[in-house]
Amino acid sequence: EVSLVESGGGLVQPGGSLRLSCAASGFTFRSHLMSWVRQAPGKGLEWVANIKEDGGGELYVDSVKGRFTIARDNAKNSLFLQMNSLRAEDTGVYYCSRGIYSISSVGYDLWGQGTAVTVSS
Amino acid sequence: QSALTQPASVSGSPGQSITISCTGTSSDVGRYNYVSWYQQHPGKAPKLMIYDVSNRPSGVSNRFSASKSGNTASLTISGLQAEDEADYYCCSYTSSSTRVFGGGTKLTVL
C-alpha cells in the first residue's frame, strides 16, 4: 500500500526544537520531490519546504528560513523536518506530501495523515 | 510569498454547478501552468483534485474541472453532491520555485 506516515510532533516550548519524520512506503521514494505543508488550527494550508529527489534544492517559506531544515534519506525512504527556534505561530498540523512523478508536472498527489505540533509555554 | 486569493465561502444546491476562483500574480498563477487544487474534508488530509491547471488525476470525478485566465485560476464542480462539501485550496508554483497556497474556500452544499 502506498502511504506516508508522519511522526515526531508534540508539545514544545517557544525557542525549542522538534524533528519531524515521514516514512514512505509502497512507491519509489527516491523518484519524487517531497514537501512539508502545515496547517495552523482553523486556518488554511501553508507550504513550508521542498526537497528534490536527490536531496538537494531545498526551498523554504520565508517565515521558517534559517530555523527549519528539510532533509531526506533515500536509503531509508524517509523525509525529515528539523525545526529549531520554534515560535507560537509554528503551531499546527504538519503534512508530508509527495510531488507528482513527472518532470513537467507540479502538484502533490499523496499526503500523510499529519502530525500535530504545539508551541506553547 | 503572499497567499493566493480565494473566496472564503461558496454554496450551491445538489445538482448545481459552482466555481471557485483563485487569484495570484504574474509571478505565480499568471506565469506558470502549474496550478493545482486540493479538497480537504474536516480532520482529513488534503486530496489532489487538479494539477497543471486542468488535469485530473485518475480516480477524480469528471465533475471537477478547472481552467486559468491571466492571473486567475478557477475550479468548477458540476452536479454538486453532498460529499463535495469540503474546503478547497488552490496552489501555484512561483517564480522563486517555491509553492504558494490560497487561503481556502469552504464549499457548502445546501
Side-chain angles (χ1 to χ4, degrees):
Chain A
E1 181 187 359
V2 177
S3 71
L4 297 170
V5 179
E6 301 95 335
S7 60
L11 174 64
V12 62
Q13 292 188 339
S17 297
L18 273 180
R19 186 187 194 220
L20 306 184
S21 299
C22 171
S25 61
F27 65 95
T28 307
F29 179 73
R30 64 179 182 274
S31 296
H32 292 264
L33 173 149
M34 297 296 296
S35 296
W36 289 98
V37 175
R38 68 183 178 184
Q39 187 168 34
K43 302 297 184 182
L45 301 174
E46 180 183 36
W47 175 83
V48 174
N50 264 8
I51 188 167
K52 291 186 176 180
E53 296 84 337
D54 62 359
E58 302 97 312
L59 292 169
Y60 303 91
V61 67
D62 285 347
S63 59
V64 309
K65 281 181 183 176
R67 300 189 299 122
F68 289 13
T69 302
I70 188 172
R72 64 192 296 164
D73 184 338
N74 286 344
K76 296 184 177 179
N77 294 333
S78 295
L79 177 72
F80 307 101
L81 187 67
Q82 177 66 44
M83 305 187 296
N84 298 330
S85 302
L86 282 161
R87 306 167 180 168
E89 54 264 37
D90 296 318
T91 293
V93 174
Y94 284 71
Y95 293 100
C96 168
S97 56
R98 182 183 78 175
I100 294 173
Y101 177 58
S102 170
I103 61 173
S104 59
S105 292
V106 175
Y108 301 113
D109 63 353
L110 180 67
W111 296 68
Q113 85 289 349
T115 187
V117 172
T118 302
V119 184
S120 174
S121 55
Chain B
Q1 292 180 328
S2 298
L4 307 176
T5 301
Q6 298 181 232
S9 63
V10 298
S11 63
S13 299
Q16 288 186 332
S17 295
I18 63 94
T19 297
I20 299 171
S21 62
C22 169
T23 300
T25 71
S26 57
S27 296
D28 40 63
V29 175
R31 185 166 181 174
Y32 304 99
N33 289 324
Y34 289 144
V35 177
S36 49
W37 289 89
Y38 302 85
Q39 177 192 65
Q40 187 181 35
H41 287 107
K44 301 296 187 182
K47 175 186 176 184
L48 178 66
M49 306 302 285
I50 296 285
Y51 67 96
D52 295 352
V53 174
S54 59
N55 293 328
R56 268 190 320 275
S58 60
V60 172
S61 170
N62 59 10
R63 297 185 299 104
F64 291 83
S65 62
S67 62
K68 190 190 83 168
S69 177
N71 295 340
T72 299
S74 299
L75 173 71
T76 297
I77 308 174
S78 59
L80 268 181
Q81 299 179 1
E83 58 262 36
D84 298 333
E85 185 162 295
D87 294 326
Y88 291 84
Y89 296 91
C90 60
C91 180
S92 178
Y93 183 86
T94 80
S95 58
S96 303
S97 300
T98 59
R99 315 295 192 259
V100 60
F101 280 92
T105 298
K106 180 178 180 59
L107 169 61
T108 300
V109 180
L110 303 170

